[in-house]
């Protein structure tokens, strides 16, 4: 044994035999064989080998013996078997593996010796481990509909050993073991069989081996949902308790709602139909039936039925008793059913007859005296041309004055140059209110009231005054109606429609404002803008709307006559002027943007505002309701203007129907003054017109013809739909300097005159006379108030000298003469910036950076289905922005919106772009 070991120890690594002579015992058995190993970076690896019984163990690598000096060995006795166990270990360096060049990988095995012979272990390969940086295939982002299949491909980088692949979703590990809908295949692809909303996210492919981990680029998966309509709601109840009204039903784009860039529902979200609510019918009594025969109780009965008519639809039942009973014996029936003359003495009958005849004679005398008194009273009153009925319903603020009507000649003749005689006749001291603006106009021009037809005037909650040529005036007073404006008609008043216009509307013989306002311009492919100065009406023709090498003469006309869009049969009123643009055959590739001023305080709870168009048959048809969603046209309501996107030339107007008493129409108030024919007279004219620039321009044209001066800045009055009238009164006039001519202290307009003014100027006049030519200053207040509504005060302070005065500017615009602009100078947004914005937002983007986000940031958040139908939604959105911001003249709001979008997307690591790069697109 010792000699064998000595001989073995002298063998070199290159001279070891493959086998040794056999000796008695057992062959070596390997308890541990060397295993395949990978060298990581520059760290050497260790190969282990253990065998029993073993006299010696040596490694052999790549067919050559490893030198014994490189072996590390130890020996011990296995107590269970009693065999000698030997364990050997060697180190393999990176340099050794790299220096080896052969047909196969670097390998090593163990050879163990015993007395019986040798045994060899398995070959263990040694390789240098690595993992490349770049993936052979990165996953790509996708947009898929809900329940669609998602397949994300991934081929990891080359590596030794081969990399294992895992998927991350939003930085969390995706496991197919917990979700049957997700399949991670052996080819490293990720498959989602049916996409769910929760599957939207950022997916990353993660490759890992013993050397390193590598991440692929992030793929954004967007699972979108196309919008679907919900079921229609039930029809709403008719919005009026009685008569013609409107029923609505709606549906929402929530079945499902569009998500993650899904398309919007097509069609309308609201439908309206007219309805006729049955009006309640109060019951009425039929005639009494005949009396029954006198019964045993000395009574007889009669009946009546509540059937003339019977109460229907919630009407009131008849008041009173359906049965009447009376004594049929003249109260001569006693309890024992015997007549009184059978039990009373004869003298009592004579006493009763005397009392009866005495009472009849006294009654006849009383009636005769009453008739004589009434006759004398009426004869006395007929000598006066005006009766005044006092009322306690008027509040303070109206000027009181005394006057005496002349007894001879025309009862309406008033000599303004003579002070009233207070010593003769009856004197009235009360404020007097008129509805007759024609009388006021005449008083401002002359001291003689021309005779008027015999009329009846109803003034709500005020004095009732009627002027006429008859011997006495007739008065009517009724309680304030509580119905909504839809129930009001001109027929509800005592004045006929023709009389009402002649009495309360201004003198329309002056047609300075009647001709239609018209402007036109010639436009080509570059587009442009048309403006009707001082009317709030303009038209934007976008760039590219007209084909190249083509020009059109485009015009706009504003109707100044009475509108036919407002009829007495409906409850609608005109809220804007009628505007026509053309020519009719105009061929456009995208819609134009029209801006029209309106006078409504916009509220969907109080108003139903609709856009109407005049057909070729000269009938008005409804185009859309402003709260509807439709793809035919677009309507954006601002506080004072309406911006329309239209693709059909024609005549358009906004009409409104109030839903409640809280519906408000804005009125523009202005006071003008001028010296009368008599230099001592001065006239104040107060105008109440719809708060649109076009309506006030008609007032300006009228006043220029009269030489009137604007005495106070125009003010706005909110006029409610509560059916109450409008009162105009003059206050704080210095009575020691000025005399107010009779009947002009307070004047009143009925609700229907103001509410249905149809864009025509409504005004009244106050006539004043100065006592001395040295009086050159006039100061007073004009109060304009709606009964149970708002009030405005116009402060007048002016000089009434006859010298020429500088005209007061009515409008402050500096470009009133510019009506047509064409080409780039007509637009706020430069063409290059516009094209870049459209190119960016018209393309669907997985990050949500599309035209819908642009619309949202520009505060255009409804009826987006209209833009989805356009060839370039972003261009149409920018056209609407141009029309909406044509007055402020800067790009701040647009720049802020684009900057905000840039900031949002610069935070997204998947965008691959910095904030500076994103913002620079639109600099």
């Amino acid at each position: 044994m010792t000699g064998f070991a000595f001989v073995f120890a002298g063998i070199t690594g290159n001279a070891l035999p493959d086998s040794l002579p056999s000796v008695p015992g057992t062959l070596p058995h390997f308890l541990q064989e060397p295993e395949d190993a990978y060298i990581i970076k520059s760290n050497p690896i260790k190969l282990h080998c253990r065998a029993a019984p073993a006299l010696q163990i040596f490694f052999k690598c790549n067919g050559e013996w490893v030198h014994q000096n490189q072996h590390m060995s130890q020996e011990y006795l296995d107590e269970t078997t009693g065999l000698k166990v030997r364990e050997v270990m060697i180190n393999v360096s990176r340099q050794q593996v790299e220096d080896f060049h052969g047909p196969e990988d670097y390998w090593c095995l163990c050879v163990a010796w015993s007395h019986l012979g040798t045994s060899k272990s398995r070959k263990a390969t040694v390789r240098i481990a690595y993992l490349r940086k770049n993936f052979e295939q990165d996953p790509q982002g996708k947009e898929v509909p809900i329940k669609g299949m998602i397949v994300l491909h991934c081929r990891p980088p080359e590596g030794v050993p081969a990399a294992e692949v895992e998927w991350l979703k939003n930085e969390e590990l995706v496991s197919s073991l917990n979700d049957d809908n997700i399949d991670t295949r052996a080819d490293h692809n990720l498959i989602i069989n049916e996409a769910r909303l929760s599957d939207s996210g950022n997916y990353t492919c993660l490759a890992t081996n013993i050397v390193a981990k590598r991440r692929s680029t992030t793929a954004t998966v967007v699972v979108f949902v196309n919008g679907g309509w919900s079921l229609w709601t039930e029809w709403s109840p008719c919005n009026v308790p009685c008569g013609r009204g409107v029923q609505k039903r709606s549906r929402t784009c929530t079945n499902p709602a569009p998500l993650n860039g899904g398309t919007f529902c097509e069609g309308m979200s609201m439908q309206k139909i007219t309805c006729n609510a049955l009006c309640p019918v109060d019951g009425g009594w039929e005639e009494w039936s005949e009396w029954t025969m006198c019964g045993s109780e000395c009574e007889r009965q009669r009946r009546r039925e509540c059937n003339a008519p019977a109460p229907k639809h919630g009407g009131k039942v008849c008041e009173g008793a359906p049965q009447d009973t009376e004594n049929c014996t003249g109260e001569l029936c006693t309890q024992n059913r015997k007549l009184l003359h059978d039990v009373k003495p004869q003298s009592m009958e004579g006493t009763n007859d005397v009392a009866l005849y005495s009472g009849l004679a006294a009654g006849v005398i009383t009636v005769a005296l009453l008739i004589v008194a009434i006759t004398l009273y009426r004869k006395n009153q007929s000598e006066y041309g005006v009766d005044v009925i006092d009322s306690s319903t008027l509040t303070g603020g109206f000027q009181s004055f005394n006057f005496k009507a002349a007894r001879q000649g025309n009862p309406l003749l008033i000599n303004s140059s003579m002070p009233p005689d207070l010593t003769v006749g009856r004197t009235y001291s009360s404020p007097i209110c008129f509805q007759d603006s024609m009388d006021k106009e005449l008083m401002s021009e002359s001291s003689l009231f021309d005779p008027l037809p015999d009329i009846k005037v109803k003034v709500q909650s005020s004095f009732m005054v009627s002027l006429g040529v008859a011997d006495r005036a007739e008065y009517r007073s009724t309680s304030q109606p509580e119905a909504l404006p839809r129930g009001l008609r001109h027929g509800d008043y005592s004045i006929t429609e023709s009389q009402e216009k002649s009495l309360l509307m201004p003198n329309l013989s002056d047609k300075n404002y009647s001709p239609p306002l018209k402007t036109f311009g010639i436009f080509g492919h570059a587009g442009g803008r048309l403006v009707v100065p001082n009317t709030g009406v303009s038209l934007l023709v976008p760039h590219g709307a007209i084909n190249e090498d083509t020009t059109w003469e485009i015009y706009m006309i504003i109707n100044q006559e009475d509108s036919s869009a407002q009829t007495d049969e409906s409850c609608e009123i005109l809220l804007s002027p009628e505007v026509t643009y053309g020519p009719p055959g105009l061929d456009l590739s995208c819609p134009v943007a029209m801006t029209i001023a309106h006078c409504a305080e916009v509220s969907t709870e109080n108003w139903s505002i609709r856009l109407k168009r005049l057909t070729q048959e000269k009938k008005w048809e409804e185009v859309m309701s402003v709260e509807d969603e439709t793809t035919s046209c677009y309507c954006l309501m601002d506080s004072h203007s309406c911006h329309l996107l239209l693709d059909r030339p024609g005549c358009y107007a906004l009409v409104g129907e109030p839903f409640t008493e809280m519906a408000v129409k804005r009125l523009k108030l202005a006071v003008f003054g001028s010296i009368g024919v008599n230099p001592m007279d001065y006239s104040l004219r107060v105008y109440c017109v719809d708060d649109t620039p076009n309506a006030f321009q008609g007032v300006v044209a009228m006043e220029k013809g009269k030489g009137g001066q604007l005495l106070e800045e125009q003010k706005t009055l909110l006029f409610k739909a509560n059916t109450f009238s409008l009162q105009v009164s003059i206050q704080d006039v210095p009575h020691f300097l000025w005399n107010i001519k009779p009947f002009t202290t307070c004047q009143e307009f009925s609700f229907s005159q103001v509410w249905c003014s149809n864009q025509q100027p409504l005004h009244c006049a106050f006539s004043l006379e100065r006592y001395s030519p040295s009086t050159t200053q006039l100061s007073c207040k004009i109060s304009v108030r709606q009964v149970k509504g708002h009030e405005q005060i116009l402060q007048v302070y002016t000089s009434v000298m006859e010298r020429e005065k500088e005209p007061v500017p009515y409008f402050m615009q500096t470009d009133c003469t510019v009506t047509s602009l064409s080409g780039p100078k007509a637009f706020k947004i430069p063409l290059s910036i516009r094209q870049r914005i459209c190119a960016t937002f018209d393309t669907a983007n997985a990050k949500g950076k599309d035209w819908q986000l642009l619309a949202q940031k520009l505060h255009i958040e409804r009826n987006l289905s209209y833009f989805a139908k356009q060839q370039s939604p972003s261009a149409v959105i920018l056209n609407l922005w141009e029309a909406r911001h044509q007055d402020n003249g800067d790009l701040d709001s647009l720049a802020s919106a684009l900057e905000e979008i840039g900031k949002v997307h610069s935070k997204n690591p998947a965008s691959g772009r910095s904030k500076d790069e994103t913002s620079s697109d639109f600099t």
Side-chain angles (χ1 to χ4, degrees):
M1 179 71 179
T2 306
F4 180 82
F6 175 79
V7 173
F8 186 81
I11 300 176
T12 64
N14 295 326
L16 284 175
D18 289 338
S19 64
L20 292 176
S22 300
V23 294
T26 61
L27 287 174
H29 171 68
F30 284 96
L31 301 177
Q32 181 180 359
E33 295 183 274
E35 296 180 354
D36 297 339
Y38 297 93
I39 294 178
I40 302 173
K41 297 183 180 179
S42 297
N43 299 321
I45 55 97
K46 289 181 171 33
L47 295 179
H48 294 266
C49 192
R50 187 189 308 141
L55 296 177
Q56 194 58 270
I57 301 176
F58 273 85
F59 272 93
K60 192 175 186 179
C61 294
N62 301 319
E64 297 181 358
W65 294 104
V66 179
H67 195 278
Q68 63 179 354
N69 293 334
Q70 299 178 8
H71 290 72
M72 293 169 286
S73 62
Q74 62 179 354
E75 189 179 50
Y76 59 90
L77 187 67
D78 188 351
E79 296 179 355
T80 58
T81 61
L83 298 176
K84 187 179 291 187
V85 178
R86 177 172 286 273
E87 182 177 354
V88 178
M89 178 175 58
I90 65 170
N91 290 329
V92 179
S93 67
R94 182 185 184 96
Q95 187 66 37
Q96 290 176 267
V97 177
E98 289 179 346
D99 291 343
F100 172 72
H101 298 284
E104 56 184 352
D105 292 330
Y106 189 99
W107 60 268
C108 294
L109 58 79
C110 292
V111 179
W113 285 266
S114 71
H115 294 289
L116 296 181
T118 62
S119 297
K120 293 182 180 181
S121 70
R122 64 177 293 274
K123 284 185 178 181
T125 60
V126 180
R127 304 174 67 185
I128 297 176
Y130 67 92
L131 185 62
R132 307 290 185 196
K133 289 185 178 181
N134 296 326
F135 278 71
E136 296 183 5
Q137 183 179 6
D138 285 302
Q140 301 297 318
K142 295 181 179 295
E143 293 185 4
V144 295
I146 194 168
K147 295 186 178 180
M149 177 177 285
I150 302 174
V151 179
L152 298 178
H153 299 278
C154 177
R155 293 178 61 188
E158 178 186 353
V160 174
E164 296 181 357
V165 172
E166 295 177 306
W167 285 92
L168 301 179
K169 174 191 173 185
N170 298 331
E171 304 303 323
E172 294 184 1
L173 189 63
V174 176
S175 175
S176 60
L177 300 178
N178 301 327
D179 194 341
D180 295 335
N181 194 39
I182 298 178
D183 186 7
T184 52
R185 299 291 184 88
D187 58 1
H188 311 309
N189 294 335
L190 176 66
I191 298 177
I192 301 177
N193 297 315
E194 291 188 1
R196 302 156 296 191
L197 288 176
S198 59
D199 294 325
S200 297
N202 297 321
Y203 287 82
T204 308
C205 183
L206 183 66
T208 308
N209 70 0
I210 59 175
V211 178
K213 290 183 179 182
R214 305 285 186 231
R215 293 171 59 96
S216 69
T217 59
T218 300
T220 301
V221 175
V222 177
V223 180
F224 63 84
V225 180
N226 293 326
W229 286 116
S230 66
L231 296 177
W232 287 104
T233 61
E234 297 293 332
W235 288 105
S236 65
C238 201
N239 64 340
V240 294
C242 174
R244 180 178 176 271
V246 176
Q247 284 181 286
K248 297 182 181 179
R249 69 172 183 176
S250 61
R251 57 180 179 175
T252 56
C253 192
T254 57
N255 188 31
L259 292 175
N260 300 334
T263 59
F264 285 82
C265 304
E266 295 184 3
M268 301 182 65
S269 63
M270 180 179 293
Q271 288 183 343
K272 294 183 181 180
I273 58 173
T274 58
C275 57
N276 288 292
L278 297 176
C279 297
V281 178
D282 295 338
W285 289 113
E286 292 180 343
E287 295 292 334
W288 287 103
S289 65
E290 297 293 333
W291 288 105
T292 61
M293 299 296 293
C294 195
S296 58
E297 298 294 332
C298 304
E299 291 180 343
R300 61 178 182 177
Q301 294 84 27
R302 61 176 179 175
R303 299 185 61 82
R304 58 179 177 177
E305 299 292 338
C306 188
N307 288 326
K312 293 187 296 184
H313 315 310
K316 298 179 181 179
V317 298
C318 304
E319 296 183 359
Q323 181 174 326
D324 187 16
T325 301
E326 72 173 9
N327 190 290
C328 53
T329 61
E331 303 298 336
L332 299 180
C333 187
T334 62
Q335 292 182 353
N336 57 3
R337 301 188 182 89
K338 292 184 179 180
L339 296 179
L340 292 178
H341 63 78
D342 293 336
V343 297
K344 291 184 179 181
Q346 188 68 29
S347 61
M348 184 174 292
E349 181 177 358
T351 303
N352 290 339
D353 291 341
V354 173
L356 175 62
Y357 292 130
S358 299
L360 289 175
V364 171
I365 295 172
T366 302
V367 170
L369 292 175
L370 181 60
I371 291 174
V372 171
I374 291 176
T375 302
L376 293 176
Y377 175 78
R378 293 184 61 181
K379 181 177 181 182
N380 183 43
Q381 294 296 325
S382 64
E383 296 178 0
Y384 294 92
V386 178
D387 289 345
V388 179
I389 299 178
D390 195 2
S391 172
S392 62
T393 58
L394 285 180
T395 61
F398 299 106
Q399 300 294 328
S400 300
F401 61 93
N402 300 330
F403 77 94
K404 181 198 67 173
R407 291 181 177 274
Q408 297 177 355
N410 188 341
L412 300 180
L413 179 61
I414 299 177
N415 187 350
S416 60
S417 64
M418 296 177 59
D421 184 3
L422 304 181
T423 61
V424 182
R426 298 185 61 181
T427 300
Y428 298 90
S429 179
S430 294
I432 298 180
C433 295
F434 278 82
Q435 284 182 300
D436 190 351
S437 63
M438 181 63 75
D439 287 347
K440 302 160 194 170
E441 183 70 24
L442 292 174
M443 284 189 289
S444 68
E445 298 176 357
S446 172
S447 62
L448 177 64
F449 289 148
D450 293 333
L452 298 177
D454 187 14
I455 60 174
K456 299 176 181 179
V457 181
K458 169 187 174 184
V459 182
Q460 301 174 352
S461 301
S462 178
F463 296 95
M464 309 303 158
V465 180
S466 176
L467 301 178
V469 297
D471 289 341
R472 67 181 184 89
E474 183 174 355
Y475 309 96
R476 294 181 58 190
S477 176
T478 61
S479 62
Q480 192 64 255
E482 297 179 356
L484 293 180
R486 66 179 69 255
L488 292 177
R489 298 290 185 271
H490 290 290
D492 294 342
Y493 297 85
S494 300
I495 307 175
T496 64
E497 183 176 359
S498 61
Q499 288 172 327
E500 183 181 62
K501 289 183 178 180
S502 65
L503 289 171
L504 296 164
M505 297 299 290
N507 186 359
L508 299 182
S509 61
D510 184 0
K511 293 292 183 179
N512 291 333
Y513 62 92
S514 295
L517 297 175
K518 181 175 182 179
T519 185
F520 68 90
I522 298 177
F523 300 99
H525 184 71
R529 192 190 301 268
L530 272 179
V531 177
V532 184
N534 303 324
T535 62
V537 177
S538 64
L539 184 74
L540 180 77
V541 181
H543 174 85
I546 299 175
N547 296 329
E548 295 185 11
D549 302 327
T550 305
T551 58
W552 285 90
E553 183 184 75
I554 301 177
Y555 61 82
M556 272 199 310
I557 302 174
I558 302 178
N559 180 28
Q560 296 289 88
E561 302 295 338
D562 285 350
S563 172
S564 59
Q566 174 179 319
T567 59
D568 293 337
E569 289 75 16
S570 68
C571 305
E572 297 173 343
I573 64 169
L574 193 65
L575 298 177
S576 74
E578 293 178 8
V579 180
T580 303
Y581 88 91
L586 182 62
D587 184 17
L588 298 172
S589 60
C590 65
V592 299
M594 178 187 288
T595 298
I596 307 177
H598 66 81
C599 61
E601 285 292 291
V602 181
S603 170
T604 55
E605 294 81 9
N606 300 325
W607 279 105
S608 172
I609 301 177
R610 293 181 283 274
L611 176 65
K612 285 193 171 184
R613 177 173 50 217
L614 190 63
T615 64
Q616 294 182 351
E617 293 78 18
K618 301 302 179 183
K619 294 183 179 179
W620 288 92
E621 64 177 4
E622 181 176 333
V623 179
M624 67 173 294
S625 179
V626 296
E627 68 267 16
D628 287 346
E629 293 192 1
T630 177
T631 57
S632 61
C633 64
Y634 193 92
C635 182
L636 178 63
M637 293 291 292
D638 283 341
S639 59
H640 288 74
S641 297
C642 175
H643 310 285
L644 305 171
L645 295 177
L646 306 170
D647 54 9
R648 288 180 55 187
C651 182
Y652 295 88
L654 281 179
V655 298
E657 181 178 1
F659 281 154
T660 69
E661 292 184 359
M662 300 307 295
V664 170
K665 182 174 84 166
R666 296 190 311 274
L667 298 179
K668 182 68 72 177
L669 309 178
V671 56
F672 291 80
S674 64
I675 299 176
V677 178
N678 185 349
M680 302 294 287
D681 292 341
Y682 195 78
S683 176
L684 295 176
R685 291 177 294 280
V686 182
Y687 290 85
C688 306
V689 298
D690 291 349
D691 185 18
T692 59
N694 175 64
F696 188 70
Q697 194 176 35
V699 174
V700 172
M702 291 178 60
E703 282 297 323
K704 283 184 177 179
K706 296 179 180 180
Q709 294 291 320
L710 182 64
L711 303 182
E712 166 70 338
E713 182 180 355
Q714 312 98 290
K715 293 188 178 181
T716 302
L717 177 72
L718 302 181
F719 191 76
K720 294 182 179 180
N722 58 9
T723 73
F724 288 98
S725 59
L726 186 72
Q727 294 178 344
V728 184
S729 61
I730 184 169
Q731 305 172 6
D732 298 344
V733 177
H735 294 285
F736 57 91
L737 298 175
W738 291 89
N739 173 42
I740 304 176
K741 293 190 176 182
F743 307 112
T744 61
T745 307
C746 170
Q747 305 181 44
E748 187 165 344
F749 299 104
S750 67
F751 172 81
S752 63
Q753 290 175 268
V754 183
W755 190 255
C756 307
S757 60
N758 201 355
Q759 300 284 316
Q760 297 298 336
L762 188 71
H763 82 278
C764 61
F766 296 97
S767 297
L768 295 90
E769 181 185 17
R770 49 182 172 165
Y771 292 121
S772 170
S774 62
T775 301
T776 60
Q777 301 294 325
L778 171 63
S779 63
C780 63
K781 293 180 181 179
I782 303 293
S783 169
V784 184
R785 63 180 291 269
Q786 184 184 18
V787 178
K788 298 187 178 181
H790 295 90
E791 180 182 20
Q792 277 285 16
I793 299 295
L794 299 173
Q795 180 68 54
V796 175
Y797 184 81
T798 184
S799 173
V800 294
M801 296 293 291
E802 296 185 44
R803 59 181 174 83
E804 290 292 330
K805 290 178 286 189
E806 291 294 328
V808 179
Y810 301 119
F811 299 100
M812 301 307 296
Q813 291 91 330
T814 59
D815 59 342
C816 293
T817 59
V818 179
T819 61
S820 175
L821 290 174
S822 60
K825 60 184 178 181
F827 302 95
K828 308 294 182 186
I829 307 173
L831 180 59
S832 59
I833 298 298
R834 170 188 289 268
Q835 291 173 341
R836 185 175 298 178
I837 294 174
C838 294
T840 301
F841 291 100
D842 279 344
T843 305
N845 192 295
K847 306 172 184 62
K849 187 176 174 183
D850 57 8
W851 62 266
Q852 299 179 41
L853 179 61
L854 177 65
Q856 177 186 353
K857 295 301 181 183
L858 296 181
H859 308 291
I860 303 172
E861 300 174 349
R862 54 172 301 276
N863 198 11
L864 296 185
S865 57
Y866 174 84
F867 301 105
K869 289 293 185 180
Q870 304 299 322
Q871 182 177 0
S872 175
S874 301
V876 180
I877 291 172
L878 294 179
N879 295 338
L880 186 59
W881 183 93
E882 286 269 6
R884 196 176 190 183
H885 295 82
Q886 59 182 314
D887 295 330
N888 54 20
D890 59 72
L891 299 173
D892 287 347
S893 62
L894 179 61
S896 299
L898 295 177
E899 183 180 1
E900 185 176 349
I901 294 173
K903 288 180 179 179
V904 172
H905 288 278
S906 66
K907 297 177 182 178
N908 189 348
S911 64
R913 307 178 63 191
S914 67
K915 172 183 175 182
D916 294 337
E917 292 174 354
T918 306
S919 301
S920 64
D921 283 351
F922 309 107
T923 303

